[in-house]
Amino acid sequence: MPNAKVLEQKKATVASLVEKIQNAAGGVIVDYKGISVADDTALRRKLREAGVEYAVVKNTLLRFAFDNTGLGDLDPQLNGSTAIAIASDAVAAAKILSEYSTKTKEAFKIKGGFVDGKVIDKEGVKALAELPSKEVLIATVLAGFNAPITGFVNVLNGNIRGLAAALKAIADKKSEEAA
């Protein structure tokens, strides 16, 4: 049986993981076995720049954390070398890790993930990676909201232009008649 100090450290790690998972919009678990240190460093840098927290965690500790957050369906994926990427923007994590997994082919595999407390499989992670970024989605929605307003303004401007043209024609006609 592990000593009390080690057990407390593990409990603290699980509690920290539970908190991070509950506060995250999404996460991805991967099998990182077989990648070089240089590749891993470059991947970690890219993830950090995107605001994604990436860590290698023991499967047992992750299993406890997933069970405490209602993500127990990910338990079968927890075998072999496992790392987890947790982010407030689930698309960013999925995008970076999917891109990296296609680049490295065999060494780096996506196992699964979660979005807003719901488990997704590796195909779901790849589908999530194909979504546009949050900024692009917001811009698209705003453009959709703006389009009817812009059309309405153009219609009003057309009516005003037509009225101005009619008034000018009447004024020209009156000035011709007066002359």
Side-chain angles (χ1 to χ4, degrees):
M1 181 165 172
N3 67 27
K5 184 179 179 183
V6 171
L7 194 56
E8 287 303 315
Q9 288 175 340
K10 289 182 179 183
K11 285 182 181 178
T13 302
V14 170
S16 172
L17 279 170
V18 166
E19 182 181 343
K20 288 175 184 176
I21 290 169
Q22 287 175 336
N23 294 332
V28 179
I29 56 173
V30 295
D31 182 353
Y32 65 91
K33 186 169 71 176
I35 63 173
S36 69
V37 173
D39 288 343
D40 187 51
T41 304
L43 175 64
R44 286 174 185 264
R45 182 178 301 117
K46 195 169 186 179
L47 288 167
R48 195 172 26 256
E49 289 170 358
V52 178
E53 188 173 337
Y54 178 80
V56 173
V57 182
K58 289 188 175 191
N59 290 328
T60 311
L61 300 179
L62 260 180
R63 190 169 285 115
F64 282 125
F66 286 154
D67 289 343
N68 288 335
T69 55
L71 298 171
D73 293 344
L74 284 171
D75 288 355
Q77 303 298 329
L78 299 177
N79 48 38
S81 344
T82 304
I84 185 167
I86 301 171
S88 59
D89 180 10
V91 176
K95 229 178 236 285
I96 294 169
L97 293 171
S98 288
E99 177 186 311
Y100 192 78
S101 72
T102 56
K103 185 174 86 172
T104 58
K105 304 276 189 254
E106 297 170 22
F108 192 86
K109 294 181 182 132
I110 293 174
K111 295 181 176 184
F114 62 94
V115 176
D116 293 328
K118 297 190 177 31
V119 174
I120 56 174
D121 59 0
K122 62 183 174 185
E123 285 78 26
V125 173
K126 290 182 182 183
L128 188 63
E130 293 172 4
L131 287 176
S133 70
K134 183 178 178 180
E135 293 79 18
V136 171
L137 288 174
I138 290 171
T140 305
V141 169
L142 290 177
F145 287 148
N146 198 18
I149 296 168
T150 305
F152 183 65
V153 168
N154 286 337
V155 166
L156 289 178
N157 282 341
N159 288 341
I160 292 171
R161 268 187 246 119
L163 178 63
L167 290 174
K168 181 162 176 33
I170 291 171
D172 289 345
K173 186 176 182 184
K174 294 271 184 188
S175 67
E176 284 178 13
E177 289 175 2

